[in-house]
């Protein structure tokens, strides 16, 4: 699954967790807090897993280059989309009072953008090393 797909999956998990917390809050506040913490832990563990993966984005970059976009422009547009999705989930969680889930949504968005930009950073560092 691509980074963008992973962020959509994490965003969906955040929204499901938020719904579960809000429903449980009506019946048992302690269970709602535990469900929110479990959801946040699951999100953070998924982000750690994604960051630990060694992914190759060459196929993705070649596909975008075939459409006429530059590599850097494609990464910028995807990072912009990830930031909007993460920000939307984060603000929705904050608005409903679930700050733990909002924090997890923000971390997930930052991890997705970091994963997306790693190949570009490696390429830029390689060019800088060649210049030296």
């Amino acid at each position: 699954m691509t980074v963008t797909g992973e962020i959509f999956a994490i965003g969906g998990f955040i929204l499901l967790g938020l719904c579960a917390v809000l429903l449980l809050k009506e019946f048992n506040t302690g269970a709602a807090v535990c469900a929110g913490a479990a959801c946040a832990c699951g999100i953070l563990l998924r982000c750690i897993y994604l960051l630990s993966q060694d992914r190759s984005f060459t196929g993705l970059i070649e596909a975008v280059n075939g459409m006429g976009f530059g590599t850097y422009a494609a990464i910028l547009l995807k990072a912009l989309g990830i930031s909007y999705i993460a920000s939307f989930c984060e603000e929705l969680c904050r608005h409903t009072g679930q700050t733990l889930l909002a924090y997890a949504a923000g971390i997930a968005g930052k991890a997705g953008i970091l994963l997306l930009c790693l190949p570009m950073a490696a390429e830029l560092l390689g060019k800088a090393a060649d210049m030296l």
Side-chain angles (χ1 to χ4, degrees), residues 33-86:
V33 170
C34 290
C39 184
C41 287
I43 292 164
L44 293 177
L45 286 175
R46 184 65 184 172
C47 289
I48 291 170
Y49 171 75
L50 289 175
L51 288 172
S52 68
Q53 293 263 319
D54 184 22
R55 294 179 175 250
S56 171
F57 294 102
T58 55
L60 177 66
I61 290 172
E62 287 174 4
V64 171
N65 282 337
M67 292 188 292
F69 291 107
T71 303
Y72 301 121
I75 291 174
L76 177 67
L77 290 175
K78 289 178 185 197
L80 185 65
I82 289 171
S83 68
Y84 276 128
I85 292 167

Side-chain angles (χ1 to χ4, degrees), residues 20-41:
V21 167
L22 292 176
L23 287 174
L24 283 173
K25 195 178 204 180
E26 297 293 323
F27 302 109
N28 188 350
T29 307
V33 170
C34 290
C39 184
C41 287

Side-chain angles (χ1 to χ4, degrees), residues 80-94 102 105-106 109:
L80 185 65
I82 289 171
S83 68
Y84 276 128
I85 292 167
S87 176
F88 172 74
C89 290
E90 189 174 2
E91 288 301 316
L92 185 63
C93 291
R94 280 197 207 289

